Each structure stands twice: as C-alpha cells, then as structure tokens.
Amino acid sequence: MINNIEKKIKLAFAVSVGSFITSVVLVAVVCFFAYSLVNEQRKNIYVLDHNVPVLVSQSAQGTNRMVEYKSHVNMFHLLFFTLPPDDAYIKANLSKAMYLVDDTGLAQYNNLKEKGYYNSILASSAVLTIKTDSVQVDENRHFRYYGRQRIERSTSIATRLLVTEGDLQDVPRTENNPHGLIIKNWKTVVNKDLDYVEKKSF
C-alpha cells in the first residue's frame, strides 16, 4: 500500500516537473516568435497618401550607403559645374554645392571667381552643362569622378574631360545635405579639351 502511494507521488512529481519544463519551453518559444514578429512589424511604416495608408519598408542606414556616396558626389558636380548665363542661378547652385563640400570647394570657387570665370560666362552668354560618365568609390570612401563638360557659346561648342577626386566623410543629415556626407580634399585631376566645333554662321 505504502509502495503504491510512493510510486504515485513519484509519478505525480515527474508529471509536474515535466509539465513545468514543457510550459517553460513553450513560453520561451512563444516569446521568441513574438519578439521576432514585433521586430519585423517595426520595419513596416505606413505613410498616408491622400488619407490612404501605404505600406513602406524601413531599411538600415548602411544598406544603400554606396548608392548615397555616388549620388552625393554626382549632385555636387552637377551643382558646381552647371552654369547658365544667369547670375542668380549660378549663385544659387554654388550656394547649394557649398553645403556638400569642405573648404577645398570654397577655395576652388574663390579662385575661379578671382580669375573672372563666372563673369566671362555671363559676358559671352555661354551655357555650361556637365554629364557624369562614372563615379568610383573605394572601401576607404575615396572617390574619383569622371564627367564631360559641354561649353556652348554663340560661335562654338566645346567638350572637356573632367576628372576630380576627394574623400567622403559622414556628417549629420540636414535639409541642405540629405545624404549626410561632406566631400573633403577635393581637387581636379584632369581638365582637358576633347572636342571643339565652330557653329555655322548664315
């Protein structure tokens, strides 16, 4: 009789311990999946588009950083080298460009200004545009920019090869610097004529 009671107590104890361990395991598994689900949901952001919620995805800052590096370099060169014969437009573009570069960009701007570069554009009604060929960025965030500048005057069209290089440094993102980058040690490596065509006069 006593042996039966002891066996039943041991069985009940074993069942209790087993149930407890099973419950702990189940709770741990449920918590793990709940935590994973919450993390996944946090990556989903809803944006209202005319009062209609649209699902967008959140990604890590470094996911597309290389794309941002190239875009930043490209944006700076477009702003710095796109120069129509419009003084207000030139000043506005160069002002935006200065937010993207350190004092080496300002030094080059002041050098060109002192040489009368911008005044000559206005005087000759020249239109300067630039086309990006490629932007190369290495693992140390050192870049090299390749582009072609088109200089159209009333009597001619010239094409120049432009190659510049510099380094990229992270800075806080602002409205004027959406990529959160600044170009440092910027310099022109190559700036030479590729083509020159005189316009026909009738």
Side-chain angles (χ1 to χ4, degrees):
M1 185 73 176
I2 294 175
N3 289 335
N4 289 337
I5 293 174
E6 288 180 352
K7 288 180 180 178
K8 288 181 180 179
I9 291 173
K10 289 180 180 179
L11 179 61
F13 179 75
V15 170
S16 299
V17 171
S19 299
F20 177 75
I21 294 173
T22 303
S23 300
V24 171
V25 171
L26 285 174
V27 169
V29 171
V30 169
C31 288
F32 174 77
F33 281 107
Y35 181 75
S36 299
L37 182 62
V38 169
N39 275 345
E40 285 298 319
Q41 290 301 315
R42 282 180 180 172
K43 294 181 181 179
N44 296 328
I45 301 172
Y46 289 89
V47 178
L48 290 177
D49 182 17
H50 300 289
N51 294 325
V52 177
V54 179
L55 177 66
V56 295
S57 296
Q58 180 184 10
S59 59
Q61 181 178 351
T63 303
N64 294 319
R65 202 56 173 155
M66 185 59 72
V67 175
E68 288 188 305
Y69 292 158
K70 294 181 178 182
S71 178
H72 184 87
V73 172
N74 184 53
M75 182 190 301
F76 168 74
H77 285 81
L78 289 177
L79 290 170
F80 196 90
F81 291 104
T82 299
L83 304 169
D86 183 326
D87 188 47
Y89 187 90
I90 290 174
K91 287 179 179 177
N93 261 18
L94 291 173
S95 177
K96 292 176 184 177
M98 291 303 108
Y99 286 106
L100 312 180
V101 68
D102 69 353
D103 55 352
T104 54
L106 181 61
Q108 187 155 335
Y109 164 69
N110 287 332
N111 184 42
L112 291 171
K113 188 176 180 180
E114 288 175 6
K115 291 180 178 179
Y117 179 71
Y118 301 107
N119 287 334
S120 68
I121 292 172
L122 299 174
S124 63
S125 295
V127 178
L128 282 72
T129 55
I130 192 164
K131 180 182 177 183
T132 302
D133 289 332
S134 67
V135 179
Q136 298 176 359
V137 184
D138 65 21
E139 64 276 3
N140 296 317
R141 292 187 292 185
H142 180 80
F143 75 85
R144 180 163 279 209
Y145 173 90
Y146 298 86
R148 299 188 182 204
Q149 189 174 38
R150 186 175 188 268
I151 306 168
E152 182 172 358
R153 297 185 176 87
S154 58
T155 58
S156 64
I157 298 174
T159 304
R160 296 183 66 81
L161 172 64
L162 182 69
V163 181
T164 72
E165 65 179 17
D167 302 298
L168 293 166
Q169 178 181 321
D170 288 323
V171 295
R173 294 175 190 260
T174 65
E175 186 175 343
N176 294 312
N177 190 341
H179 294 124
L181 293 164
I182 192 166
I183 294 171
K184 299 178 71 67
N185 308 317
W186 182 57
K187 62 181 179 181
T188 300
V189 180
V190 178
N191 188 5
K192 67 177 183 180
D193 290 332
L194 289 177
D195 191 30
Y196 181 85
V197 178
E198 290 187 359
K199 289 184 177 179
K200 294 181 179 179
S201 56
F202 297 96

